Amino acid sequence: IKVTLSGGEEVPPVQTAGSGLAEFSYDRETRTLKWTINCSGLSGPATMAHLHGPASRGEKGGVAIWLSKQGSTVESPVNGQVILTPEQAEQFVAGRWYVNIHTQANPGGEIRGQAMFPGQ
């Protein structure tokens, strides 16, 4: 799954030169989610990277998964993996999570993109 990240997807939209691409691979049998996220042009260093949900495009959701190490500086690219709970897996597969990259200037999120499987 490839997810394009932009300020226009934030709620409310953020004016930024920042952009990004999150790439996910998901194994439905083991519920293992792996990711690589690249971003550039942000207003400053990324402070946090999360998957939020459940939420549709244009809605806000709570933090579901930390994509970056909690309390550490976020360096692009961000790589990691996690095994989802059955409930998390159901939400992720349904396209109810979004990627959010946070910065000091935009603590609520500077760039965002909805994680949707092709055809959703």
Side-chain angles (χ1 to χ4, degrees), residues 61-97:
V63 173
I65 301 286
W66 278 77
L67 299 171
S68 59
K69 186 173 164 76
Q70 196 167 347
S72 296
T73 306
V74 180
E75 306 254 344
S76 185
V78 176
N79 297 294
Q81 73 176 38
V82 68
I83 295 174
L84 303 179
T85 67
E87 182 184 25
Q88 289 174 327
E90 187 177 303
Q91 292 171 1
F92 180 72
V93 170
R96 302 274 296 142
W97 281 3

Side-chain angles (χ1 to χ4, degrees), residues 95-113:
R96 302 274 296 142
W97 281 3
Y98 61 91
V99 178
N100 208 5
I101 308 297
H102 305 263
T103 60
Q104 188 170 356
N106 294 285
E110 184 161 333
I111 56 175
R112 167 181 166 160

Side-chain angles (χ1 to χ4, degrees), residues 5-60:
L5 309 176
S6 71
E9 288 291 309
E10 288 290 345
V11 179
V14 171
Q15 292 294 322
T16 178
S19 63
L21 180 67
E23 295 185 75
F24 293 96
S25 65
Y26 180 62
D27 182 321
R28 289 175 192 253
E29 291 201 11
T30 64
R31 299 189 317 272
T32 300
L33 180 65
K34 297 180 182 181
W35 60 86
T36 299
I37 304 166
N38 288 284
C39 47
S40 61
L42 298 172
S43 62
T47 55
M48 295 177 285
H50 305 120
L51 276 166
H52 288 252
S56 297
R57 182 174 270 132
E59 297 177 346
K60 289 187 175 189

